[in-house]
Amino acid sequence: MQIEQTGTSILQEEPLVSFIIIAYNLPIDMLKECVESILTLGLDHREYEIILVDDGSDVPVIAQLTDFQDVLFYLRQQNQGISVARNNGLRVAKGKYIQFIDGDDKLLNDPYCQCMDLLRAENPDMLLFNFTDKDHPSGKAFKYESPSTGASYMHTHNLHASACCYLFLKNLLAGQTFTPGIYHEDEEFTPLLMLKAEKVIATDSAPYYYRKREESIVNKVDDNEHVAKRLDDTEQIIYKLKHKADTLPEMERVAMNRRVAQLTMDYLYQMMKAGVSQEDLDGRVKRLETHSLFPLPDKHYTYKYSLFRLLSKNKISRTIMSKIIR
């Protein structure tokens, strides 16, 4: 694996946050907006570092970012996907906390600064927030929940998988990395990280501006090959998390099993939405049955979960659901 890097760490001491930006063949204006959104947060230069990982773009992006070269630590790797890019960013990061950002997204100033104030005041292991598709803050004051352990949080909440919606302690990783070569890598990474956290604070703030681009891999809904890989990868992640749950103490096992059930529900929904063949749907459901993952567990996690569980149990109703959802 070849990795090129330019720039040196601006800081000799530990910054508060390492912002790790991942870029691959992105419109340069979007990437500039992403970097600028960090620089305009008003953080002291000793509080942060910006690591830009170029996942083998056709043209090295640093050549188009001359105005930012003094504030960027730039890594360029052969195109190997977001998991490897993030892992390489983590390898060089010096920050106490990690913030991942996709290079076509950006941070919104006021709500993110509020989250940073909360981070400084509470020193959590993980701080959770939301993303938004609006490029300006709502202006409303945000709320946050009392601290809890990660397992306690997973007992009572649906988990946002996206790693970009967390500020988390780098030391919390303890060797944990993203699995290379899979889609939906966050679905595996985030719950495993959450279980390690002793102090989690969740907010309803939405400081992460997410752009949905048609060019994005996750949005290739009409590409049969990509759809099949996304479903296959999700299925394998479900099995991995289920196996992990079986090895955990009771508190953590219950929390992880809730996450597995929710992810399995979403997996079934995504199959129906993608319009997979009846044969494929039946085959995947059969495999879930052999792993004791179907029918979905009789739990009252949410109203949506309970309703979906009932409707998905029967083959005829699954067929009807597929036609409606599609």
Side-chain angles (χ1 to χ4, degrees):
M1 175 176 64
Q2 295 182 349
I3 300 177
E4 304 172 16
Q5 64 184 51
T6 60
T8 58
S9 178
I10 300 171
L11 307 170
Q12 298 302 315
E13 58 189 49
E14 177 188 70
L16 180 59
V17 181
S18 291
F19 294 95
I20 301 177
I21 303 173
I22 310 301
Y24 173 68
N25 285 346
L26 296 176
I28 196 62
D29 289 344
M30 288 185 179
L31 187 54
K32 287 180 178 179
E33 276 191 66
C34 179
V35 176
E36 287 172 346
S37 75
I38 299 172
L39 297 177
T40 57
L41 291 174
L43 299 175
D44 185 281
H45 71 276
R46 293 167 296 184
E47 286 190 294
Y48 71 95
E49 63 178 355
I50 304 176
I51 300 167
L52 174 59
V53 186
D54 181 353
D55 185 28
S57 297
D58 295 340
V59 177
V61 297
I62 194 64
Q64 304 175 75
L65 296 172
T66 54
D67 292 343
F68 303 109
Q69 290 185 9
D70 291 341
V71 296
L72 294 176
F73 186 92
Y74 177 71
L75 287 176
R76 178 173 167 83
Q77 65 180 37
Q78 295 174 339
N79 179 234
Q80 297 172 87
I82 190 170
S83 290
V84 175
R86 284 176 171 175
N87 291 340
N88 283 327
L90 287 170
R91 180 178 57 81
V92 301
K94 294 184 177 181
K96 179 180 179 181
Y97 287 92
I98 300 295
Q99 171 70 67
F100 287 114
I101 311 177
D102 292 338
D104 49 353
D105 300 333
K106 65 179 181 179
L107 302 177
L108 302 180
N109 192 297
D110 289 348
Y112 198 85
C113 286
Q114 290 175 335
C115 287
M116 289 296 299
D117 288 343
L118 183 59
L119 189 80
R120 295 186 187 95
E122 296 289 344
N123 294 301
D125 293 341
M126 297 179 73
L127 179 66
L128 290 65
F129 45 80
N130 298 316
F131 64 81
T132 178
D133 59 0
K134 298 178 174 60
D135 65 353
H136 56 277
S138 66
K140 69 175 184 178
F142 80 100
K143 301 176 183 178
Y144 61 92
E145 300 179 15
S146 298
S148 67
T149 66
S152 295
Y153 181 82
M154 288 174 64
H155 265 265
T156 56
H157 292 77
N158 292 342
L159 197 63
H160 291 298
S162 173
C164 293
C165 289
Y166 296 82
L167 275 157
F168 62 86
L169 280 174
K170 185 172 187 286
N171 288 344
L172 195 64
L173 290 170
Q176 181 179 333
T177 57
F178 292 90
T179 300
I182 65 171
Y183 294 161
H184 305 301
E185 62 286 333
D186 293 356
E187 297 287 5
E188 177 184 13
F189 179 87
T190 303
L192 293 175
L193 189 68
M194 178 70 72
L195 284 184
K196 299 177 183 179
E198 293 297 322
K199 185 177 182 180
V200 172
I201 297 179
T203 81
D204 65 353
S205 181
Y208 189 95
Y209 174 51
Y210 166 75
R211 293 186 227 248
K212 185 174 181 180
R213 296 192 305 121
E214 293 182 1
E215 298 87 347
S216 173
I217 287 178
V218 297
N219 292 322
K220 292 184 177 180
V221 295
D222 296 326
D223 188 318
N224 292 335
E225 182 179 344
H226 282 275
V227 169
K229 178 168 174 52
R230 288 206 308 271
L231 293 175
D232 290 344
D233 288 349
T234 301
E235 184 177 339
Q236 293 306 310
I237 289 170
I238 291 170
Y239 297 155
K240 286 182 181 180
L241 295 182
K242 178 65 167 64
H243 176 73
K244 179 66 175 179
D246 293 340
T247 68
L248 295 172
E250 182 178 1
M251 178 74 172
E252 289 83 359
R253 183 173 67 253
V254 172
M256 182 62 85
N257 279 334
R258 171 177 174 142
R259 182 58 193 161
V260 169
Q262 292 168 332
L263 186 55
T264 304
M265 178 187 75
D266 186 64
Y267 170 61
L268 292 167
Y269 175 84
Q270 292 302 327
M271 277 192 279
M272 298 173 186
K273 183 178 180 181
V276 301
S277 68
Q278 189 66 49
E279 181 182 4
D280 191 9
L281 178 59
D282 292 343
R284 291 176 184 273
V285 168
K286 186 65 177 179
R287 291 198 295 271
L288 292 174
E289 286 180 331
T290 62
H291 287 82
S292 301
L293 290 164
F294 189 86
L296 294 170
D298 188 7
K299 302 289 185 180
H300 300 288
Y301 295 136
T302 64
Y303 174 77
K304 177 183 177 181
Y305 173 87
S306 297
L307 179 62
F308 190 93
R309 177 186 174 275
L310 289 173
L311 293 175
S312 65
K313 288 174 64 175
N314 182 274
K315 182 176 179 178
I316 296 176
S317 61
R318 286 199 302 273
T319 302
I320 296 172
M321 288 173 65
S322 295
K323 294 179 179 180
I324 294 174
I325 292 172
R326 195 181 314 168

